Amino acid sequence: KARAALSQAGIEFSERDFFKHRFDLAQLNDLLGAASPRTVFNFNSATFKKSGLDEAVLCDEELAALLVSEPRFFNRRAVAGRR
């Protein structure tokens, strides 16, 4: 849906398969800007549920490290933009 909406609006975009081309921490921080990693983290994923981690006690730095280490933690509906 996001792809179609962006195309219809005439917005140029690029896609990234972060399972094949994982982010490093610097790239993730650049992508997020001032936003918290919570905005793209999928706390409802089976991978997160199986991890036994507690969402309430994880800080942004820990969440970013988790996203870099395991792409299944990403909410795959994430869209980032630059103006």
Side-chain angles (χ1 to χ4, degrees):
K1 292 182 182 181
R3 186 181 306 128
L6 291 169
S7 292
Q8 286 180 335
I11 299 171
E12 291 184 28
F13 63 94
S14 63
E15 296 179 72
R16 178 177 186 150
D17 182 342
F18 45 80
F19 286 93
K20 292 181 182 177
H21 307 285
R22 292 186 178 195
F23 293 103
D24 63 29
L25 192 54
Q27 292 169 328
L28 178 63
N29 287 330
D30 184 53
L31 175 73
L32 291 172
S36 168
R38 292 181 184 281
T39 61
V40 296
F41 203 98
N42 186 356
F43 293 103
N44 295 316
S45 72
T47 303
F48 182 73
K49 290 178 180 178
K50 289 178 186 175
S51 74
L53 297 169
D54 182 356
E55 171 186 355
V57 300
L58 292 168
C59 68
D60 282 357
E61 291 79 17
E62 292 167 321
L63 291 172
L66 288 168
L67 287 166
V68 169
S69 69
E70 177 52 74
R72 288 180 187 89
F73 288 137
F74 271 95
N75 180 341
R76 287 184 281 286
R77 294 177 296 230
V79 175
R82 303 217 190 273
R83 289 182 179 217

